[in-house]
Amino acid sequence: MDNKSDKAKDSAKITQLRDDMTDATGKPLTTRQGLKVNDTNNSLKSGPRGSTLLEDFLLREKITSFDHERIPERIVHARGSGAHGVFELYKPQGEFTKAGIFNDTSRKTPVFVRFSTVAGSKGSTDLARDVRGFAVKFYTEEGTWDLIGNNMPIFFIQDAMKFPDLVHAVKPEPNKEIPQAASAHDTFYDFVSLTPETLHNQIWVMSDRAIPRSLRMMEGFGIHTYRLINEKGEAHFVKFHWKPVLGVHSVTWDEAVKISGADSDFHRRDLWDAIDSGQFPEWELGFQIVPEADEHKYEFDLLDPTKLIPEEMVPVTIVGKMTLNRNPENFFAETEQVAFLPGNIVPGIDFSNDPLLQGRLFSYRDTQLSRLGSPNFHQIPINKPIVEVHNNQRDGQMQMSIPKGNTAYFPNTLGGGCPHMSKVSDGAFESYAERIDSNKIRTRSESFIDFFSQPALFYRSLQKWEQQHVMEAYAFELGKCTHQHIQERMLWMVNEINEDLAAQVAKKLGLKVPDTIEQPINQAISADCNVEDFQPGKAKNYLDKSPALSQDKSKFDTIATRQIACLMADGFSMKDFDAMKKTLEAKHAVVKIIAPHGGTITCDTGMEHKVDAAIATTESVLFDAIYIPGGQKSIDGLKAEKKYVKFINEALKHCKAIAADNEGEDMLNKTFVSDFKDDKAILINADAQKFVDAIAKHRNWDRMERASDLPV
Ligand code: HDE
């Protein structure tokens, strides 16, 4: 008996040992079977110069493990960055949902988040013009809940059936595998121009939302309408929103293109560095609640994922906060192997009949089975629930646990009837008992047939500078298409959104907006569809503007984590620099010294200061603002390096805040800044607080029109 319990203890130790194997500190190198190795640098040969022997099991184990190191990358969202964190609830939401995570304010629910781009491969640039994925895994006490959304509140298509077409159209063209991580090509616009339901998401992709300044400065949306279920079994429709505490901010397209060359890991690095330095990214979670009784109250269908509910019609109620506070230990084990499933749901939350969501419920598990290679992918540490798992599903590749006993079926007596079923009152999941009474039919609901109203609302709601960016994006993307009939069909569609916009884009393309299009949109829904339904003049105007859609209504009250390039050389004024640095760092900005060379520079009081980057190794687009302290010798040093002029001119063109003190002004006089001295974000010998305020505004867009033509 004793012997048996000792063995049990031993086996527990073995399990513990297995878990500890990941930490190699102070440990010897072994094979995968635990054999100690005395030489991992040389293969087994017949003599020092002889041929390598087939017998070399050490070489074979090392090389074959390496040969199989990669798993298939995700079909979409291959490029991603992840982080761990916690979700905390502000106030119990029992009125709407019985979910534990939304009722217990004492909980700190662990989360893992993965942000991604959609179209590019795993190694593609972070700054592609694209939708960003925003996938959150909540490890709750009732099981894992995955909320897998995007940084835009709507999707391209209305039915899962069209997803393979959408993805094939946007991915590199299959004959030449070009272009990488870009929608600006013929096949994408061929598809879009024949599929008007894509227009709403498409115009969002033309906006600045598609080129975020940081993953930490973008909103997240669940997109689909879900249901919340309370203890009484009552349902409310809900849309989930993530609001970034740092506000919603973007870069310009000119910057995006240059950042892609200067640092294609810009977003990944920014997320990592912020968490590493203790500046934890935060988002507040909000609910947009619609009572079941109001399901048909709106001029759009709540089940249509190409429509948003304007916040002015249904406000977002903030319920809690997510803080990302820990970087992954290992990219592959965590960020690459994490498997999100829309079907991971907990009691108190349920699906709606959105046909896109319904298709996703099937697709994600299917893709994980082929990507991770086994139905046991939930046993990978990052995918493990924090609650115990017991069922009769057995075997399969890479079974990591050792199920005990002889019963793998239910019901049973031999296993004591376990694992047993639970009552709903004991926390079991029960699907919402929605009444279904209808004919079997393959069709699109008529309530989904409105393709122009919300893209038009979005465009109307933008500020002038944002509209200008949308126009330039269309001109760029359509300009990359080589088939005129595709460009014209797109112009015809854009004309339905806004005539001015279409006219401006047409001018840039050297084309006219066509009155009619040669190839009508007759296959958009089905071969039997009524083409009349897609004809122009159908845009409704149920809301003139939705200010919440503009980034101009975001938050502009912080400079935390903003990167400030301080341009300085030997002999800089310590007094100027020290005062500015103290002010900026007190507000949690990141101050970087950009000098003519690496190593250190010496200030006018003789102290040495570590250089963060030599001017030759960095670019203006990687920073949010520029500061130049005084000190004649320092300014002479800057003037001797031509790249500083370009550095400053680019920041000017990108509407960033620029400050200089004393002799620092001389440096600005060598640049185009000398023509912009009346600009409110150009601060010469000004109070440091004014510089802080200008950085917090993100950009001075009033400068945009004049600065956009600068030859940099
Ligand atoms: Fe996805 N999507 N998707 N998607 N999606 C995947 O699953 C799919 C859709 C989204 O960081 C894949 O694990 C279909 C909408 C994110 O790991 C795949 C349809 C939204 C991620 C898949 C959609 C998303 C994915 C590829 C139409 C916003 C990355 C690898 C019915 C609400 C998650 C994988 C991560 C990933 C299929 C539509 C967001 C192939 C069939 C709508 C953020 O299963």
Side-chain angles (χ1 to χ4, degrees):
M1 182 70 191
D2 271 359
N3 199 7
K4 212 171 168 188
S5 72
D6 281 344
K7 275 191 182 148
K9 275 187 205 151
D10 284 346
S11 103
K13 263 193 222 152
I14 289 169
T15 315
Q16 183 61 38
L17 245 178
R18 285 189 182 135
D19 287 350
D20 286 350
M21 280 206 297
T22 47
D23 184 3
T25 319
K27 308 279 168 62
L29 179 75
T30 71
T31 64
R32 293 201 152 183
Q33 306 305 321
L35 181 72
K36 287 185 187 159
V37 175
N38 79 333
D39 182 349
T40 190
N41 301 322
N42 297 293
S43 55
L44 190 67
K45 298 180 203 75
S46 55
R49 302 179 59 248
S51 56
T52 301
L53 299 178
L54 184 61
E55 182 195 321
D56 193 351
F57 66 100
L58 292 178
L59 172 71
R60 269 185 287 125
E61 188 197 74
K62 191 171 175 182
I63 294 280
T64 54
S65 298
F66 169 76
D67 291 345
H68 297 270
E69 265 176 11
R70 294 287 168 271
I71 58 172
E73 69 174 32
R74 288 165 174 81
I75 297 165
V76 283
H77 297 268
R79 168 90 188 158
S81 305
H84 295 269
V86 287
F87 175 78
E88 289 157 291
L89 183 71
Y90 290 151
K91 209 174 123 199
Q93 299 296 319
E95 182 191 351
F96 303 118
T97 172
K98 62 180 176 183
I101 168 177
F102 292 131
N103 280 282
D104 182 353
T105 52
S106 70
R107 283 196 197 183
K108 286 185 190 299
T109 303
V111 298
F112 185 77
V113 180
R114 184 173 178 273
F115 302 108
S116 48
T117 51
V118 179
S121 295
K122 196 167 166 274
S124 57
T125 175
D126 279 345
L127 264 288
R129 179 176 289 285
D130 200 353
V131 175
R132 298 296 182 288
F134 194 125
V136 185
K137 194 178 270 300
F138 296 87
Y139 304 88
T140 90
E141 291 170 26
E142 292 79 23
T144 300
W145 174 42
D146 290 348
L147 179 60
I148 314 156
N150 283 343
N151 74 330
M152 299 180 190
I154 33 72
F155 199 66
F156 287 97
I157 47 168
Q158 296 174 322
D159 194 300
M161 193 76 154
K162 289 178 87 93
F163 192 66
D165 297 302
L166 167 74
V167 174
H168 289 171
V170 73
K171 282 275 181 177
E173 298 188 8
N175 51 352
K176 44 190 182 297
E177 185 75 359
I178 295 175
Q180 179 56 246
S183 55
H185 59 115
D186 283 313
T187 58
F188 183 62
Y189 284 99
D190 194 22
F191 176 77
V192 167
S193 67
L194 289 165
T195 314
E197 70 201 71
T198 59
L199 272 189
H200 192 196
N201 204 159
Q202 208 273 326
I203 193 169
W204 274 75
V205 174
M206 293 304 97
S207 79
D208 294 349
R209 302 273 184 152
I211 37 176
R213 157 65 183 82
S214 160
L215 300 170
R216 305 172 293 119
M217 298 175 198
M218 58 186 203
E219 285 180 294
F221 303 90
I223 300 189
H224 310 286
T225 299
Y226 287 86
R227 277 193 172 90
L228 294 178
I229 316 291
N230 64 19
E231 277 297 352
K232 290 189 230 151
E234 296 161 342
H236 286 79
F237 289 115
V238 64
K239 289 218 188 247
F240 296 107
H241 292 247
W242 291 109
K243 302 270 184 198
V245 168
L246 295 178
V248 185
H249 306 293
S250 296
V251 297
T252 64
W253 179 238
D254 186 57
E255 284 172 274
V257 170
K258 290 170 178 164
I259 293 171
S260 291
D263 183 6
S264 60
D265 301 306
F266 186 68
H267 283 156
R268 179 177 289 179
R269 190 186 310 283
D270 165 277
L271 180 68
W272 182 281
D273 287 352
I275 295 173
D276 205 38
S277 68
Q279 295 282 325
F280 299 143
E282 295 171 321
W283 284 261
E284 289 190 309
L285 181 69
F287 291 168
Q288 243 180 335
I289 301 273
V290 176
E292 289 256 306
D294 288 351
E295 181 176 1
H296 303 292
K297 183 175 150 187
Y298 302 99
E299 293 190 62
F300 46 85
D301 196 327
L302 295 182
L303 302 186
D304 173 357
T306 68
K307 306 294 183 295
L308 52 84
I309 311 178
E311 290 185 30
E312 293 72 16
M313 293 168 95
V314 179
V316 174
T317 311
I318 298 298
V319 301
K321 183 155 82 178
M322 173 171 77
T323 308
L324 299 185
N325 55 17
R326 185 160 58 89
N327 279 318
E329 291 288 338
N330 181 278
F331 182 88
F332 180 83
E334 300 176 88
T335 311
E336 192 60 10
Q337 290 201 114
V338 66
F340 293 96
L341 307 172
N344 282 353
I345 206 104
V346 289
I349 304 171
D350 209 336
F351 314 115
S352 72
N353 287 334
D354 173 341
L356 195 69
L357 173 59
Q358 294 288 323
R360 293 180 75 203
L361 294 176
F362 170 79
S363 171
Y364 286 61
R365 188 171 166 78
D366 186 37
T367 209
Q368 307 306 358
L369 287 172
S370 79
R371 191 171 73 85
L372 298 167
S374 148
N376 294 317
F377 64 80
H378 62 283
Q379 297 179 358
I380 296 171
I382 194 69
N383 295 324
K384 260 191 196 161
I386 57 163
V387 285
E388 285 188 29
V389 173
H390 302 285
N391 56 49
N392 295 314
Q393 293 156 24
R394 288 285 186 275
D395 307 350
Q397 283 182 359
M398 297 295 159
Q399 168 58 274
M400 297 292 163
S401 55
I402 305 175
K404 299 192 177 62
N406 63 347
T407 56
Y409 55 88
F410 185 85
N412 66 63
T413 58
L414 299 180
C418 290
H420 61 80
M421 297 190 289
S422 303
K423 293 184 176 163
V424 173
S425 55
D426 289 332
F429 181 82
E430 178 190 43
S431 289
Y432 178 62
E434 184 181 4
R435 190 178 161 75
I436 298 177
D437 178 14
S438 56
N439 299 329
K440 181 160 58 174
I441 182 165
R442 189 183 290 283
T443 191
R444 193 77 55 90
S445 170
E446 268 186 34
S447 54
F448 282 30
I449 312 296
D450 168 15
F451 305 129
F452 302 110
S453 308
Q454 291 215 349
L457 169 66
F458 177 68
Y459 187 71
R460 277 199 304 275
S461 304
L462 299 181
Q463 295 294 314
K464 280 265 167 301
W465 56 271
E466 294 175 299
Q467 291 185 339
Q468 175 73 16
H469 289 164
V470 169
M471 190 282 286
E472 286 166 3
Y474 267 121
F476 175 87
E477 297 259 316
L478 300 183
K480 290 279 186 181
C481 295
T482 61
H483 294 271
Q484 192 171 326
H485 74 275
I486 293 175
Q487 294 174 313
E488 287 181 338
R489 235 177 19 224
M490 275 309 298
L491 285 174
W492 181 84
M493 293 270 227
V494 173
N495 200 45
E496 293 310 309
I497 300 175
N498 187 285
E499 290 179 10
D500 282 347
L501 172 63
Q504 289 179 66
V505 177
K507 199 171 157 203
K508 295 257 183 201
L509 297 178
L511 297 173
K512 287 212 162 59
V513 179
D515 295 333
T516 55
I517 38 174
E518 246 174 48
Q519 210 179 340
I521 305 155
N522 60 359
Q523 302 279 330
I525 304 271
S526 81
D528 293 315
C529 73
N530 181 359
V531 174
E532 285 300 302
D533 287 338
F534 312 109
Q535 293 310 304
K538 292 210 180 262
K540 300 178 203 159
N541 188 343
Y542 35 78
L543 184 68
D544 182 40
K545 281 184 184 173
S546 168
L549 300 181
S550 164
Q551 292 185 218
D552 199 50
K553 290 288 163 294
S554 181
K555 290 171 75 181
F556 298 98
D557 56 359
T558 172
I559 64 164
T561 73
R562 294 299 188 148
Q563 307 282 317
I564 318 300
C566 296
L567 310 187
M568 40 214 263
D570 284 321
F572 68 87
S573 157
M574 183 60 189
K575 189 165 158 267
D576 289 355
F577 177 63
D578 194 44
M580 183 58 88
K581 186 170 186 269
K582 279 193 179 126
T583 308
L584 295 173
E585 287 185 343
K587 307 276 180 194
H588 308 292
V590 182
V591 172
K592 294 266 165 86
I593 297 181
I594 313 300
H597 53 77
T600 56
I601 53 174
T602 311
C603 64
D604 57 1
T605 63
M607 263 166 69
E608 284 202 346
H609 299 259
K610 194 175 165 301
V611 170
D612 292 295
I615 184 77
T617 65
T618 191
E619 296 293 335
S620 176
V621 289
L622 304 179
F623 296 90
D624 293 290
I626 288 180
Y627 172 63
I628 310 175
Q632 195 55 54
K633 189 173 162 218
S634 168
I635 299 306
D636 292 343
L638 299 186
K639 282 181 181 169
E641 278 287 341
K642 287 208 179 75
K643 194 171 173 190
Y644 280 110
V645 171
K646 174 175 169 259
F647 197 97
I648 297 165
N649 282 338
E650 275 191 342
L652 179 72
K653 179 174 178 157
H654 300 141
C655 305
K656 294 174 182 171
I658 299 174
D661 281 325
N662 302 312
E663 294 85 358
E665 187 177 1
D666 283 3
M667 187 61 213
L668 295 184
N669 289 339
K670 270 194 73 138
T671 70
F672 296 121
V673 175
S674 52
D675 299 333
F676 286 79
K677 295 248 174 99
D678 54 345
D679 183 294
K680 61 184 178 213
I682 304 289
L683 298 148
I684 297 168
N685 294 322
D687 182 355
Q689 185 55 41
K690 284 203 171 142
F691 187 42
V692 169
D693 295 341
I695 302 167
K697 292 258 174 343
H698 183 58
R699 302 295 162 94
N700 176 19
W701 297 118
D702 296 347
R703 188 193 300 163
M704 193 177 90
E705 209 179 321
R706 261 181 80 205
S708 62
D709 290 337
L710 291 176
V712 265

